[in-house]
Amino acid sequence: MGQSAPPAEKYGWDPDGSKKRRLRDAVAEKLPDLEVRGGGSTSIDVTRKGVDKAYGMRKLLECLDLKHDNVLFVGDRLDHGGNDYPVKAMGIQCHAVTCWEETADYVRVLVDDLVRRHTQRA
């Protein structure tokens, strides 16, 4: 469907995830040397083994000299087998969302709250 497909079509294509699981399994069978995970609502992520969102998070923590409890990860596939699950498995605090719009709303509320608290202290 592509990233520009209307959300209703994307979410309606495979509401229970069974089509994507079958697709993921078929791709994984043909690419045994690669990591294959369900991505967004209609996509499959294919990477080198060990290169997943946890890998990216470890690199980010290292580059920014942060600890696990300094980070909040927002993801829509925190379920076991989802492409965001490796971050959750690291012990990083996570917040589950269902779509990018919900992510944007959640981050907006977080930022507004931080600004309000900072302003009150000043």
Side-chain angles (χ1 to χ4, degrees), residues 35-49:
E35 190 75 47
V36 182
R37 284 193 174 83
S41 56
T42 61
S43 65
I44 301 295
D45 292 347
V46 180
T47 62
R48 288 180 294 181
K49 295 259 185 201

Side-chain angles (χ1 to χ4, degrees), residues 112-122:
D112 288 349
D113 186 52
L114 286 170
V115 168
R116 186 175 55 256
R117 284 195 263 163
H118 179 73
T119 309
Q120 287 173 350
R121 277 191 251 149

